[in-house]
Amino acid sequence: MGKERHSYFLYSICAVTGIVAAAYSPVYLFFSTAGVVLGLLLLARQRMAVLCLSVVLCAGGYFYLYDSWHASSLTRYADGATSLEVTGRIASPPERDGDTVRLFLDVGAYQVAGRHRALFPAERVACRIKLDAEEQISVVERWRTGHQLTASVQLQLPDGARNPNAFDYARYLRWQGVYVTAKGSFAQTQVEVDNSNLFGWFETWQQHLAKRLDLLFADSSVSGFMKSLLLGLRDEVEPRLADTYADLGLIHVLAISGLHVTLVSAGFLWLMERLGLTREWSLVAAILFIAGYVLLVGASPSAVRAGLMGGLGLWAVRARKQIEIRQLWGIALLLMLLCNPYQLWQVGFQLSFCVTLGLILYVPILMESPLPRSSWLRSSMAVATSAALVSFPFLIYWFHQFSPLSWLLNLLVVPLLSLIVLPAGYAALVVSFLFPPLGSLIGQLVNGLLPHLHHGLSWLHDRSLPFSHWPHPHWWWLAGYAIWLISIPIGWHLGYQRRRDFLVYGTVFCLLLVAARQPLDGTDEVRITFLDVGQGDSIVVEVTNETVYLIDGGGIVRIGQTERWREKKDPFDPGKDIVVPYLRSRGIEQIDRLVATHGDQDHIGGLPAVAARMPIAAALLNGTPPSRGDRELLASLARRGVPLVTGQPGVSWEDVPGVVWTWLSPDGSNMSGKGEKNDASVVLLLTAYGTRVLFTGDIEQAAEERLLHSYSPLLSTVDVLKVAHHGSKTSTTAAFLERMQPQAAVISVGRNNRYGHPSSDVLARLEEAGTTVFRTDRHGAITLILRPDGMEWQIQNKVYGLQPFRAASRQ
């Protein structure tokens, strides 16, 4: 193979290199370094190297221009209070969830304080429109991409990640070309419906076909699944089913990909030729059909990539040219990056291109294996293995999950869905227009098959298999894995194809898997993470690599009943959306001790969701009669056979040498009133390597006085205090602080909460005691690491200027 045959492939890799280098280096450094290297290559007359470096330079320069072209003009108004009237074009299909509509808006003009200003180019804004009445839903359903929207909104800067390794909304929007978010109400929003808009026309057809699928598939879970499988409407899948597919490594089947494009284009070509069109005109019609199909299914990165490669491939056939598939891959990548280089940071784009390249490179190598003898089975195994090897680092980086059953399930389930369910779904949809009874019959067959498949997958999902959660990978591990992936096809083409070479490849892979588990991290430390769950408590304590405690799980305190139409399809739950993702990002697969301090919703409301997703060895409760919230948690734990235990005052236990817990409260007193309910909170004292940390739940003054009376000597050397009741003025009394004199205190509290926590009185007391205060509303998650040589603090949000510090333990 000559180098020129792979020029587009090489140039696409160079373009990616240039864009990434430009994104993370100053302009002067990028161009000066590249210029020096380019000059040396010119002197050495290295033609191909000069061409590649020129592509790097051009791609980097293009990124700088594109990025400056899309700089924000609206961030100066993003204070959450200033009201602007914005006018622009809807840039994404509006998505309604309950009483909220979300969409991207390309703002071309705005008005503030009576002054009208135009924006060129238009600036993209993430909008959230609140509905006031159920009747407004029918109006919103007519909104389409390309329609002009005018609204009075307030702008805000998006939040970054509030917890370690969590989803970073600000970074996600940054690579969508969005710097500010906007919120408004339906009453102050006007949309000019334009039925001639091309994108809107395709969206209307997509919705029309979605409604037809509702008629074909009686089971709502099946129809939602088929809408995603056939039309790319991922939000239609039931949340629990989507979690099952994601956790088992099957979520990719719901993305429009090359399989879909191949299937529909082959069917269209067959139909055109049966209608009498010549081969040449059939190919032209198929290319146009693929373009329309990509627009119909939402033009996701994977759909556009598949459409471009498919269309280019058909064009090559018509032109009687031979284009290697790597060339098609490179051309598609270059075209998409030329359109929008920000896509390089979008996970769907990364997975689509990298997995496709993996199939191109590794399937031919794996097909050389003598086993299994069946070529079909060998091909299926090669595809499943290639996809698993390439997707693995992306899945553990972005989602911290990779099921050990992923490879086997892809081998078994994907052929069933791709060879039976997908063609049957398209057939039912098409036939329903021609002969509805036959379309319904095909739909009934699918409707009978999928529930059984999903029941089996759900059963597997609930088994909580080991090695499903993976800690957030280090950069050096990602680099090492990338080098290993690249070395295999290079080594293969250089002739390293012997059995011993395969043994080396496999040995390195096993070592990388072991390193991905990070077995040596945290072997001699206690890591305490005070998660930011809003107005509530949730604390994760990791005792070396031996034991994991979860103290409370946050929760949402809901006031009154919500109208049914306002209910979210997948409502926010701190347990599901904050606690579980954090545990997964730490590679935690079991909670050894679940501590429910007391029955308030902002402490235990998220625990049922945690219990449904994580194995729990035992639960520590305060032993008081359960409230309604407690009963839901107890029922959830009972269904899973979790032992329920309580403690006795003064009882201690040791997890590992040097790490001791002491149960201080409750002491069995009868608690009935609201304040007394808070005073029944579980209070634990942790002593780790000479440092003492007091966990107080929501205790108030009466409980603090009892603790001082019963454990005065023990409390005289507390180093770190978890401030009780989110900094309420009824807790953390002067006497309590005077006795302990803690070096540092942590307040778990929600931003702008309606209770006014933390109290200014409590903050004044802590300041008077000389205590350093950490607050989750300001600092995000707060991590305390205890080691034999002292303690170290890490904070998630450094905007407020508090720097992490180290302190020696008081022995």
Side-chain angles (χ1 to χ4, degrees):
M1 298 181 184
K3 293 183 179 180
E4 296 298 329
R5 292 186 60 190
H6 307 304
S7 58
Y8 287 114
F9 175 71
L10 287 175
Y11 295 159
S12 67
I13 300 299
C14 293
V16 169
T17 303
I19 291 172
V20 172
Y24 295 106
S25 62
V27 177
Y28 70 90
L29 180 62
F30 173 79
F31 283 109
S32 61
T33 303
V36 170
V37 176
L38 182 61
L40 294 174
L41 292 174
L42 285 170
L43 291 174
R45 297 184 179 180
Q46 297 292 323
R47 181 174 177 271
M48 181 55 69
V50 168
L51 285 173
C52 289
L53 187 56
S54 298
V55 174
V56 171
L57 277 167
C58 291
Y62 178 69
F63 177 82
Y64 284 124
L65 290 173
Y66 188 93
D67 200 39
S68 62
W69 185 253
H70 289 82
S72 176
S73 301
L74 297 175
T75 52
R76 53 185 163 172
Y77 303 112
D79 55 9
T82 303
S83 181
L84 289 81
E85 183 179 277
V86 296
T87 300
R89 296 284 177 182
I90 297 176
S92 67
E95 298 177 356
R96 183 188 68 86
D97 188 12
D99 61 357
T100 303
V101 179
R102 297 179 184 273
L103 53 87
F104 286 122
L105 182 70
D106 286 341
V107 177
Y110 67 94
Q111 185 172 315
V112 59
R115 299 180 62 183
H116 184 274
R117 296 184 180 181
L119 289 175
F120 184 80
E123 180 172 345
R124 182 158 295 187
V125 173
C127 286
R128 188 174 72 252
I129 308 296
K130 196 79 168 179
L131 304 185
D132 306 310
E134 187 174 5
E135 296 75 23
Q136 296 166 353
I137 295 176
S138 59
V139 178
V140 169
E141 289 177 344
R142 296 197 295 271
W143 295 359
R144 296 287 183 265
T145 299
H147 291 177
Q148 182 168 293
L149 180 147
T150 300
S152 178
V153 299
Q154 290 79 44
L155 302 182
Q156 291 180 314
L157 296 176
D159 276 338
R162 302 282 303 174
N163 292 283
N165 308 318
F167 174 67
D168 192 325
Y169 186 52
R171 185 172 62 177
Y172 164 78
L173 290 181
R174 162 73 172 91
W175 299 120
Q176 300 284 340
V178 175
Y179 293 88
V180 297
T181 63
K183 62 178 181 179
S185 66
F186 180 88
Q188 296 178 308
T189 302
Q190 293 180 338
V191 173
E192 295 181 15
V193 175
D194 180 7
N195 294 323
S196 64
N197 180 269
L198 179 64
F199 293 102
W201 185 83
F202 277 106
E203 285 175 24
T204 299
W205 258 101
Q206 186 186 48
Q207 293 302 319
H208 177 69
L209 293 176
K211 291 178 180 178
R212 202 166 191 88
L213 289 176
D214 285 329
L215 299 176
L216 288 171
F217 304 103
D219 189 323
S220 61
S221 67
V222 173
S223 67
F225 179 84
M226 296 303 290
K227 289 176 191 177
S228 178
L229 187 67
L230 304 179
L231 301 175
L233 295 171
R234 291 278 290 272
D235 290 338
E236 295 292 332
V237 183
E238 289 186 352
R240 186 63 177 167
L241 182 60
D243 287 344
T244 297
Y245 269 76
D247 295 351
L248 293 177
L250 295 170
I251 195 66
H252 61 89
V253 303
L254 299 179
I256 303 298
S257 63
L259 174 65
H260 297 72
V261 171
T262 301
L263 183 65
V264 298
S265 60
F268 184 81
L269 274 172
W270 177 87
L271 178 63
M272 290 299 98
E273 291 177 355
R274 293 300 178 276
L275 291 176
L277 264 69
T278 63
R279 180 68 171 171
E280 288 74 15
W281 283 108
S282 295
L283 290 169
V284 172
I287 293 171
L288 296 175
F289 177 77
I290 288 175
Y293 173 77
V294 169
L295 291 174
L296 179 67
V297 297
S300 65
S302 60
V304 174
R305 191 270 313 156
L308 282 172
M309 292 184 68
L312 289 168
L314 292 177
W315 174 83
V317 172
R318 187 182 186 280
R320 293 179 174 83
K321 294 180 180 292
Q322 287 189 347
I323 301 182
E324 191 187 15
I325 191 168
R326 275 186 289 187
Q327 292 277 47
L328 294 177
W329 182 91
I331 295 171
L333 179 57
L334 287 169
L335 289 174
M336 290 185 69
L337 291 178
L338 182 65
C339 178
N340 180 5
Y342 289 164
Q343 293 180 96
L344 198 56
W345 283 268
Q346 297 172 17
V347 62
F349 182 92
Q350 294 173 4
L351 278 170
S352 180
F353 273 96
C354 290
V355 171
T356 301
L357 181 59
L359 296 176
I360 294 171
L361 296 178
Y362 299 115
V363 168
I365 295 174
L366 295 173
M367 285 295 290
E368 295 294 325
S369 171
L371 296 175
R373 294 186 181 275
S374 167
S375 60
W376 178 86
L377 182 57
R378 188 164 67 251
S379 175
S380 297
M381 292 178 64
V383 170
T385 302
S386 300
L389 289 176
V390 175
S391 63
F392 176 65
F394 293 94
L395 295 177
I396 68 171
Y397 178 83
W398 289 108
F399 309 112
H400 310 110
Q401 284 188 272
F402 190 87
S403 172
L405 290 178
S406 174
W407 179 85
L408 180 61
L409 289 175
N410 274 276
L411 191 62
L412 299 175
V413 175
V414 172
L416 175 65
L417 293 174
S418 59
L419 300 179
I420 298 178
V421 176
L422 182 63
Y426 279 126
L429 196 56
V430 173
V431 171
S432 68
F433 286 97
L434 305 173
F435 189 57
L438 180 57
S440 297
L441 177 61
I442 300 173
Q444 289 175 19
L445 294 175
V446 175
N447 214 56
L449 171 64
L450 276 180
H452 295 291
L453 173 64
H454 291 163
H455 177 75
L457 293 177
S458 296
W459 183 85
L460 282 175
H461 180 252
D462 292 339
R463 296 311 96 193
S464 300
L465 296 170
F467 305 112
S468 295
H469 302 165
W470 295 77
H472 194 73
H474 299 297
W475 69 267
W476 55 263
W477 184 90
L478 292 171
Y481 195 93
I483 292 171
W484 176 78
L485 282 176
I486 294 170
S487 68
I488 293 176
I490 293 176
W492 181 267
H493 289 299
L494 290 176
Y496 293 97
Q497 304 174 4
R498 297 164 297 181
R499 184 173 299 177
R500 70 176 68 174
D501 299 322
F502 274 99
L503 183 61
V504 172
Y505 299 148
T507 301
V508 174
F509 175 69
C510 291
L511 292 174
L512 286 167
L513 280 184
V514 172
R517 300 298 302 175
Q518 301 176 16
L520 301 180
D521 286 6
T523 54
D524 195 21
E525 68 180 30
V526 174
R527 177 179 292 262
I528 306 171
T529 304
F530 301 85
L531 294 173
D532 179 9
V533 291
Q535 184 65 16
D537 269 16
S538 185
I539 307 166
V540 179
V541 183
E542 302 169 64
V543 180
T544 65
N545 289 333
E546 300 293 328
T547 310
V548 175
Y549 288 75
L550 175 61
I551 304 175
D552 293 331
I556 301 295
V557 179
R558 306 189 188 278
I559 308 288
Q561 294 292 323
T562 302
E563 297 175 78
R564 187 173 182 82
W565 71 272
R566 293 183 182 272
E567 294 177 357
K568 300 291 188 289
K569 186 176 182 180
D570 186 19
F572 173 76
D573 183 309
K576 168 178 65 70
D577 298 310
I578 295 177
V579 179
V580 170
Y582 174 75
L583 295 173
R584 287 173 175 169
S585 78
R586 294 290 302 162
I588 294 169
E589 297 190 309
Q590 173 177 287
I591 299 168
D592 299 287
R593 300 289 183 269
L594 176 67
V595 182
T597 58
H598 64 299
D600 282 357
Q601 276 298 107
D602 59 339
H603 288 251
I604 67 167
L607 292 181
V610 175
R613 291 165 174 81
M614 298 282 291
I616 298 172
L620 299 178
L621 310 176
N622 63 5
T624 60
S627 63
R628 186 172 66 177
D630 288 310
R631 286 194 292 271
E632 180 186 356
L633 173 61
L634 293 176
S636 179
L637 296 174
R639 284 194 299 270
R640 291 161 178 81
V642 178
L644 308 179
V645 297
T646 189
Q648 296 295 323
V651 171
S652 298
W653 65 94
E654 185 177 62
D655 290 323
V656 296
V659 180
V660 178
W661 294 83
T662 304
W663 180 289
L664 302 185
S665 185
D667 58 7
S669 302
N670 182 33
M671 307 290 180
S672 57
K674 181 178 179 183
E676 293 174 338
K677 176 183 176 182
N678 286 336
D679 283 344
S681 297
V682 173
V683 179
L684 297 173
L685 179 65
L686 170 64
T687 303
Y689 310 122
T691 299
R692 292 191 173 187
V693 184
L694 183 65
F695 301 95
T696 57
D698 270 1
I699 63 170
E700 300 186 1
Q701 182 174 351
E704 290 180 357
E705 291 174 353
R706 285 197 295 269
L707 289 173
L708 289 176
H709 179 266
S710 302
Y711 304 104
S712 183
L714 199 60
L715 295 178
S716 64
T717 55
V718 169
D719 298 279
V720 179
L721 170 68
K722 199 292 291 186
V723 174
H725 204 185
H726 323 292
S728 167
K729 63 181 179 181
T730 58
S731 305
T732 321
T733 59
F736 200 54
L737 289 174
E738 184 179 356
R739 183 58 183 165
M740 291 184 295
Q741 294 292 314
Q743 295 182 42
V746 178
I747 306 177
S748 184
V749 60
R751 289 180 294 171
N752 304 317
N753 64 87
R754 64 174 180 269
Y755 307 103
H757 294 160
S759 166
S760 57
D761 294 341
V762 170
L763 294 175
R765 293 172 204 157
L766 289 166
E767 183 179 1
E768 185 177 348
T771 303
T772 301
V773 177
F774 296 87
R775 297 168 48 171
T776 58
D777 61 335
R778 293 190 171 188
H779 305 123
I782 299 152
T783 301
L784 169 61
I785 303 173
L786 305 178
R787 301 188 182 96
D789 62 344
M791 59 180 169
E792 178 185 351
W793 292 90
Q794 297 174 356
I795 57 178
Q796 184 71 15
N797 183 3
K798 298 181 176 62
V799 171
Y800 287 85
L802 181 61
Q803 297 299 316
F805 64 86
R806 293 179 60 86
S809 299
R810 292 191 289 202
Q811 300 295 332

